[in-house]
Amino acid sequence: MTPQRFALAVPRRKSGASPRLQMMPSLQDLCGDLPRLWIAKGTNVADLGSAGCVIGTLFAGATSQRVYQLPEMGTHSAETLAADLAANFWGAYLAIIPDRDRCDLAVMPDPSGLVPIYRLVTTTHVLLTSDPKLLEQACAKRMSISWGSLGSFLTRAELRRRQTCLTGVHELRPGALTYPAACDPEEFPVWRAQQFLPGRQSPSYGEARSQLRKVAIRVMGAWADELGPVAVAVSGGVDSSLVCAALTRAQEPISCVTLATADRSGDERDYARLLAKHLGAEYAERIYDPMRFDPRVSASVGLPRPSRSSFLSTIDALLADAAGDLGARIVFDGNAGDNLFCFLHSAAPVVDRLRVEGPGRGAVATLLDMCRVTGCDLPAMVKATLKRLVRRPGGEWPCDRRLLADHLALDEALDPVTPWLDIDVGQHGGKHDHLALIMRAQHHVHGLGVGPERFSPLMSQPLLELCLGIPTWLWVEGGRNRALARDAFAADLPQSLLARTSKSGPDSFIRLAFHHHRSALRELLLDGLIARNGLLDRASVEAAFELDTSLDGSTIYRLLDLAEAENWARSWH
């Protein structure tokens, strides 16, 4: 996979910037009197004629065929052109649209966010890029760490905010049209999540299942044609199995790779082998080796936040090695599947159905379904339902203060990249929970920007829009989490695999890696940059390193996340 790397420099003006765009062969000459664009070799570009260009990968909405050039789009406004792109195309891209009425230049990242776009304002220019490292070359100066922003990140590490952890670097909102040259850039939401939320007329279970199958096959086939040959990282779980089945139904050749712990606690190879054999796919496996974990290597190198778990650098290497043996160019994963397919453990689906359909047989069925999904008894679920019926939904986000200094701010504005915490969801209150789930996945999705040779196709725009529109109670039909995802490909997958409701992970590998490198990690944190800049409660960190690794897993993960933040900071410092 070739990362989509590009940089755009727009001169700062109080009003109006030239819509003319110059193509530049060198990053060092990016900042000039007119907007200038540099595009790395291998980065895709679709020509919009006089309406600008799309950098990245663009598919036609109706056919999912790759688009290399669009017909002349006339003299419509930038907002109209951006709306047309969002409604009739999808992919992973940044649209650059000259607005001649305003004598200005507008940009829009695609609604999926699969190519994150970062913005830096200098004294003379506004720079936009898919790769923060390019900012250093374009500005001829090193990026600096915003220690306050890093502290905020560590208190809410699952929230993807517009402010990154690099000084002055912000992320643009996906699906929003922005005029970057303005000192206070105007932003117009073109794509809104609430456009796709369910109304009073809900699809039947069969309709939703059929739509999910059809869209998944179309999306996976398009991405495989563009990025393949594909190896899929499989765990024997629902999400990666759906990716495999959809690719197979799209008649795309695939291979499968799985990673396993040396002990049985995280060994899913039996299920992965069963899946590969059932689909007739080539197969490879690798074993997690705690000795391969390097406590001083960041998995987030080049990113503007320490958003990847430290042990992922080991996983990246194992997957790349296996994919190479299988002849694959790219590894697809099922990341964000739990989130997209609405894996809720609450009374939300019951309350949603009550509010939409009223008390009746359907609401009772969903009540019993959620008892089976959560494992709780009927009185407990009734109590949870009544409590939720009178609860006022809010835009809160949990805060994690463990091992951090007391002075870190808690009352700051959250300002997420996707402003979904307080949108009007009507009678479908559970969609607040669904949207929050998707927001939690945003740091774990692999797009076409910088990072490993991985891709998370489930977060593609057509699947996102479809899943947002499905009522929460359809996802738990029959008392099974992600029921629609299971049944959409029930004819294509082993029944023993579809019946699974949970799976294991690399926990034992992570514990062993921590145990083996405990001294190095302790030194790294207590003598590191984040401690020197006042982000840590040193006494609590010292005490945490005395824990029993066989008992306290959550503290181990927290220490490893702090170590990732330290290594990330050193990579930029």
Side-chain angles (χ1 to χ4, degrees):
M1 180 185 80
T2 302
Q4 303 301 285
R5 298 173 69 243
F6 49 88
L8 171 68
V10 182
R12 289 181 63 181
R13 289 177 172 83
K14 291 184 179 179
S15 63
S18 169
R20 282 183 53 202
L21 187 62
Q22 293 181 324
M23 302 298 294
M24 302 303 294
S26 170
L27 272 171
Q28 284 69 32
D29 300 322
L30 193 65
C31 295
D33 294 335
L34 293 173
R36 291 178 174 178
L37 176 65
W38 174 88
I39 301 176
K41 183 178 180 181
T43 294
N44 299 324
V45 182
D47 186 8
L48 303 183
S50 62
C53 65
V54 171
I55 308 173
T57 301
L58 190 68
F59 299 108
T63 64
S64 289
Q65 293 296 310
R66 171 74 188 284
V67 175
Y68 297 91
Q69 186 170 5
L70 272 69
E72 184 62 46
M73 302 180 78
T75 57
H76 298 294
S77 69
E79 287 186 63
T80 300
L81 293 172
D84 183 65
L85 279 173
N88 298 308
F89 301 87
W90 63 276
Y93 62 82
L94 174 71
I96 302 177
I97 306 172
D99 190 325
R100 287 169 177 78
D101 290 341
R102 296 175 49 136
C103 192
D104 207 344
L105 196 69
V107 299
M108 183 185 74
D110 91 86
S112 73
L114 286 172
V115 179
I117 306 298
Y118 306 104
R119 177 179 183 267
L120 174 68
V121 179
T122 71
T123 56
T124 59
H125 287 78
V126 177
L127 289 96
L128 302 178
T129 185
S130 58
D131 181 354
K133 281 289 183 184
L134 299 179
L135 296 173
E136 294 189 322
Q137 299 177 53
C139 298
K141 68 174 185 178
R142 289 186 64 84
M143 294 294 99
S144 62
I145 296 164
S146 171
W147 297 105
S149 297
L150 180 56
S152 298
F153 171 85
L154 292 172
T155 63
R156 293 183 173 89
E158 287 194 305
L159 179 65
R160 193 176 183 103
R161 308 188 203 210
R162 289 211 289 179
Q163 171 63 55
T164 74
C165 299
L166 297 176
T167 301
V169 179
H170 293 75
E171 185 171 345
L172 298 189
R173 292 198 196 283
L177 189 73
T178 302
Y179 291 85
C183 295
D184 184 15
E186 294 179 83
E187 186 177 79
F188 302 91
V190 173
W191 184 96
R192 300 173 180 85
Q194 51 266 49
Q195 293 173 288
F196 304 96
L197 298 180
R200 290 197 62 85
Q201 289 297 112
S202 302
S204 70
Y205 186 82
E207 289 169 339
R209 178 186 60 206
S210 176
Q211 289 170 355
L212 180 58
R213 177 183 177 84
K214 179 180 178 181
V215 173
I217 292 171
R218 180 164 57 88
V219 166
M220 298 305 154
W223 281 124
D225 283 344
E226 173 67 15
L227 302 175
V230 172
V232 183
V234 299
S235 60
V238 173
D239 309 319
S240 58
S241 297
L242 179 146
V243 172
C244 288
L247 285 166
T248 301
R249 276 298 168 189
Q251 299 184 322
E252 298 289 345
I254 65 165
S255 53
C256 298
V257 55
T258 195
L259 308 181
T261 55
D263 63 346
R264 293 298 300 173
S265 69
D267 187 350
E268 300 284 358
R269 285 178 291 177
D270 289 345
Y271 289 103
R273 290 168 186 154
L274 173 65
L275 174 65
K277 182 178 179 180
H278 188 87
L279 297 177
E282 287 191 73
Y283 169 80
E285 57 191 41
R286 296 291 187 272
I287 302 297
Y288 295 112
D289 181 0
M291 300 300 293
R292 293 188 65 167
F293 173 73
D294 188 336
R296 295 186 179 274
V297 170
S298 170
S300 309
V301 169
L303 299 178
R305 315 172 184 89
S307 51
R308 304 185 76 230
S309 299
S310 58
F311 57 84
L312 286 177
S313 55
T314 307
I315 292 175
D316 295 340
L318 290 171
L319 289 175
D321 180 67
D325 285 354
L326 292 167
R329 290 183 58 208
I330 184 71
V331 174
F332 282 12
D333 58 44
N335 285 14
D338 285 359
N339 314 68
L340 188 68
F341 301 144
C342 200
F343 192 170
L344 295 177
H345 263 74
S346 73
V350 187
V351 174
D352 283 5
R353 197 161 193 182
L354 272 170
R355 285 184 169 148
V356 174
E357 297 182 356
R361 191 176 300 173
V364 171
T366 301
L367 180 72
L368 297 175
D369 285 341
M370 286 312 298
C371 287
R372 288 190 285 270
V373 168
T374 61
C376 78
D377 58 28
L378 184 59
M381 185 55 65
V382 170
K383 183 178 179 181
T385 300
L386 294 173
K387 184 177 180 181
R388 188 177 177 97
L389 276 168
V390 300
R391 191 189 82 182
R392 181 181 177 183
E396 301 168 353
W397 198 274
C399 180
D400 187 352
R401 297 298 302 271
R402 291 176 302 156
L403 309 183
L404 298 178
D406 289 337
H407 67 82
L408 296 182
L410 295 178
D411 57 352
E412 60 190 347
L414 298 182
D415 196 21
V417 166
T418 46
W420 296 345
L421 294 177
D422 295 305
I423 66 175
D424 182 7
V425 296
Q427 293 180 301
H428 293 262
K431 282 297 170 178
H432 274 301
D433 305 64
H434 191 187
L435 288 164
L437 275 178
I438 296 170
M439 291 172 71
R440 291 181 193 282
Q442 289 170 336
H443 281 315
H444 310 293
V445 169
H446 295 104
L448 297 186
V450 293
E453 298 288 299
R454 299 259 293 282
F455 186 63
S456 304
L458 290 178
M459 280 302 289
S460 298
Q461 182 182 340
L463 282 168
L464 176 61
E465 292 174 353
L466 173 66
C467 292
L468 285 177
I470 295 173
T472 54
W473 63 84
L474 293 184
W475 292 105
V476 297
E477 181 85 8
R480 302 160 298 152
N481 62 59
R482 297 164 290 168
L484 285 168
R486 298 174 190 277
D487 289 349
F489 290 92
D492 306 281
L493 295 168
Q495 289 305 304
S496 59
L497 189 151
L498 290 169
R500 303 183 73 200
T501 56
S502 63
K503 65 179 189 296
S504 58
D507 187 67
S508 64
F509 152 69
I510 294 166
R511 288 173 184 266
L512 283 171
F514 177 85
H515 179 72
H516 182 77
H517 297 288
R518 187 195 299 248
S519 296
L521 289 164
R522 184 180 186 278
E523 179 184 352
L524 178 77
L525 284 179
L526 293 177
D527 298 331
L529 293 172
I530 60 175
R532 278 181 249 160
N533 283 275
L535 302 189
L536 297 185
D537 179 341
R538 292 177 60 93
S540 297
V541 171
E542 287 191 83
F545 275 105
E546 303 304 319
L547 59 85
D548 183 345
T549 56
S550 65
L551 298 176
D552 194 340
S554 65
T555 303
I556 289 173
Y557 279 87
R558 182 59 164 172
L559 288 167
L560 287 172
D561 286 344
L562 294 176
E564 173 63 19
E566 175 65 29
N567 286 323
W568 171 87
R570 294 185 182 195
S571 74
W572 283 101
H573 192 73

Tab-separated table of all heavy atoms in Angstrom, residues 451-472:
chain	number	residue	atom	x	y	z
A	451	GLY	N	1.323	5.245	8.694
A	451	GLY	CA	1.088	4.121	9.590
A	451	GLY	C	1.501	2.819	8.936
A	451	GLY	O	2.104	2.807	7.856
A	452	PRO	N	1.156	1.692	9.569
A	452	PRO	CA	1.559	0.381	9.041
A	452	PRO	C	0.779	0.011	7.785
A	452	PRO	O	-0.190	0.688	7.412
A	452	PRO	CB	1.237	-0.568	10.199
A	452	PRO	CG	0.105	0.100	10.914
A	452	PRO	CD	0.380	1.576	10.814
A	453	GLU	N	1.208	-1.077	7.152
A	453	GLU	CA	0.538	-1.552	5.938
A	453	GLU	C	-0.743	-2.291	6.319
A	453	GLU	O	-0.891	-3.495	6.117
A	453	GLU	CB	1.475	-2.490	5.157
A	453	GLU	CG	2.755	-1.823	4.683
A	453	GLU	CD	2.493	-0.859	3.538
A	453	GLU	OE1	2.016	-1.304	2.493
A	453	GLU	OE2	2.757	0.342	3.709
A	454	ARG	N	-1.671	-1.535	6.912
A	454	ARG	CA	-2.941	-2.085	7.371
A	454	ARG	C	-4.069	-1.180	6.895
A	454	ARG	O	-3.875	0.015	6.696
A	454	ARG	CB	-2.966	-2.136	8.906
A	454	ARG	CG	-1.888	-3.004	9.537
A	454	ARG	CD	-2.426	-4.341	9.961
A	454	ARG	NE	-3.372	-4.230	11.055
A	454	ARG	CZ	-3.021	-4.036	12.335
A	454	ARG	NH1	-1.753	-3.881	12.656
A	454	ARG	NH2	-3.951	-3.995	13.275
A	455	PHE	N	-5.257	-1.768	6.790
A	455	PHE	CA	-6.410	-0.989	6.370
A	455	PHE	C	-7.646	-1.547	7.052
A	455	PHE	O	-7.824	-2.765	7.163
A	455	PHE	CB	-6.579	-1.030	4.850
A	455	PHE	CG	-7.665	-0.125	4.343
A	455	PHE	CD1	-7.578	1.251	4.502
A	455	PHE	CD2	-8.784	-0.641	3.722
A	455	PHE	CE1	-8.584	2.088	4.047
A	455	PHE	CE2	-9.796	0.186	3.257
A	455	PHE	CZ	-9.693	1.559	3.420
A	456	SER	N	-8.530	-0.652	7.502
A	456	SER	CA	-9.762	-1.021	8.217
A	456	SER	C	-10.970	-0.666	7.349
A	456	SER	O	-11.559	0.410	7.493
A	456	SER	CB	-9.834	-0.276	9.553
A	456	SER	OG	-8.678	-0.524	10.339
A	457	PRO	N	-11.391	-1.550	6.450
A	457	PRO	CA	-12.417	-1.195	5.466
A	457	PRO	C	-13.821	-1.039	6.044
A	457	PRO	O	-14.696	-0.468	5.389
A	457	PRO	CB	-12.362	-2.351	4.463
A	457	PRO	CG	-11.861	-3.514	5.266
A	457	PRO	CD	-10.891	-2.926	6.244
A	458	LEU	N	-14.065	-1.560	7.261
A	458	LEU	CA	-15.414	-1.484	7.815
A	458	LEU	C	-15.867	-0.048	8.061
A	458	LEU	O	-17.064	0.224	8.114
A	458	LEU	CB	-15.490	-2.269	9.132
A	458	LEU	CG	-15.404	-3.798	9.008
A	458	LEU	CD1	-15.432	-4.444	10.373
A	458	LEU	CD2	-16.535	-4.343	8.134
A	459	MET	N	-14.915	0.886	8.203
A	459	MET	CA	-15.299	2.266	8.462
A	459	MET	C	-15.550	3.066	7.186
A	459	MET	O	-15.646	4.293	7.217
A	459	MET	CB	-14.236	2.956	9.304
A	459	MET	CG	-14.338	2.629	10.786
A	459	MET	SD	-15.944	3.051	11.521
A	459	MET	CE	-15.825	4.839	11.517
A	460	SER	N	-15.679	2.397	6.056
A	460	SER	CA	-15.968	3.080	4.797
A	460	SER	C	-17.342	3.749	4.857
A	460	SER	O	-18.268	3.263	5.515
A	460	SER	CB	-15.919	2.093	3.634
A	460	SER	OG	-14.628	1.530	3.514
A	461	GLN	N	-17.466	4.842	4.145
A	461	GLN	CA	-18.673	5.680	4.222
A	461	GLN	C	-19.975	4.920	3.963
A	461	GLN	O	-20.943	5.097	4.720
A	461	GLN	CB	-18.533	6.860	3.260
A	461	GLN	CG	-19.707	7.835	3.295
A	461	GLN	CD	-19.544	8.958	2.286
A	461	GLN	OE1	-18.451	9.246	1.822
A	461	GLN	NE2	-20.656	9.594	1.927
A	462	PRO	N	-20.074	4.061	2.935
A	462	PRO	CA	-21.357	3.377	2.712
A	462	PRO	C	-21.765	2.491	3.888
A	462	PRO	O	-22.948	2.428	4.237
A	462	PRO	CB	-21.106	2.544	1.446
A	462	PRO	CG	-19.995	3.260	0.748
A	462	PRO	CD	-19.112	3.782	1.842
A	463	LEU	N	-20.809	1.810	4.512
A	463	LEU	CA	-21.132	0.972	5.664
A	463	LEU	C	-21.480	1.825	6.875
A	463	LEU	O	-22.394	1.492	7.646
A	463	LEU	CB	-19.957	0.046	5.988
A	463	LEU	CG	-19.816	-1.173	5.082
A	463	LEU	CD1	-18.469	-1.853	5.294
A	463	LEU	CD2	-20.947	-2.163	5.341
A	464	LEU	N	-20.757	2.916	7.071
A	464	LEU	CA	-21.052	3.812	8.177
A	464	LEU	C	-22.470	4.351	8.070
A	464	LEU	O	-23.247	4.329	9.044
A	464	LEU	CB	-20.032	4.954	8.199
A	464	LEU	CG	-20.237	6.052	9.247
A	464	LEU	CD1	-20.166	5.483	10.652
A	464	LEU	CD2	-19.198	7.166	9.058
A	465	GLU	N	-22.837	4.840	6.903
A	465	GLU	CA	-24.174	5.406	6.720
A	465	GLU	C	-25.262	4.352	6.922
A	465	GLU	O	-26.287	4.609	7.568
A	465	GLU	CB	-24.283	6.014	5.324
A	465	GLU	CG	-23.405	7.254	5.138
A	465	GLU	CD	-23.391	7.779	3.715
A	465	GLU	OE1	-23.956	7.107	2.828
A	465	GLU	OE2	-22.812	8.858	3.495
A	466	LEU	N	-25.032	3.164	6.389
A	466	LEU	CA	-26.023	2.097	6.537
A	466	LEU	C	-26.225	1.725	8.003
A	466	LEU	O	-27.359	1.628	8.487
A	466	LEU	CB	-25.583	0.870	5.734
A	466	LEU	CG	-26.438	-0.385	5.931
A	466	LEU	CD1	-27.847	-0.162	5.384
A	466	LEU	CD2	-25.788	-1.591	5.276
A	467	CYS	N	-25.122	1.524	8.723
A	467	CYS	CA	-25.221	1.058	10.113
A	467	CYS	C	-25.803	2.125	11.022
A	467	CYS	O	-26.507	1.798	11.995
A	467	CYS	CB	-23.853	0.605	10.609
A	467	CYS	SG	-23.259	-0.894	9.772
A	468	LEU	N	-25.548	3.388	10.734
A	468	LEU	CA	-26.163	4.456	11.521
A	468	LEU	C	-27.683	4.424	11.392
A	468	LEU	O	-28.409	4.767	12.332
A	468	LEU	CB	-25.645	5.822	11.058
A	468	LEU	CG	-24.223	6.207	11.474
A	468	LEU	CD1	-23.850	7.558	10.879
A	468	LEU	CD2	-24.074	6.232	12.981
A	469	GLY	N	-28.183	4.002	10.257
A	469	GLY	CA	-29.614	4.021	10.003
A	469	GLY	C	-30.371	2.813	10.514
A	469	GLY	O	-31.601	2.763	10.398
A	470	ILE	N	-29.687	1.846	11.093
A	470	ILE	CA	-30.347	0.627	11.574
A	470	ILE	C	-30.665	0.788	13.063
A	470	ILE	O	-29.768	1.072	13.864
A	470	ILE	CB	-29.447	-0.602	11.344
A	470	ILE	CG1	-29.251	-0.823	9.838
A	470	ILE	CG2	-30.049	-1.845	11.992
A	470	ILE	CD1	-28.251	-1.918	9.505
A	471	PRO	N	-31.925	0.629	13.472
A	471	PRO	CA	-32.281	0.773	14.888
A	471	PRO	C	-31.475	-0.170	15.777
A	471	PRO	O	-31.119	-1.280	15.366
A	471	PRO	CB	-33.766	0.419	14.914
A	471	PRO	CG	-34.250	0.680	13.529
A	471	PRO	CD	-33.102	0.339	12.624
A	472	THR	N	-31.235	0.256	16.996
A	472	THR	CA	-30.367	-0.514	17.894
A	472	THR	C	-30.913	-1.909	18.173
A	472	THR	O	-30.142	-2.854	18.348
A	472	THR	CB	-30.183	0.230	19.224
A	472	THR	OG1	-31.474	0.531	19.778
A	472	THR	CG2	-29.422	1.530	19.036
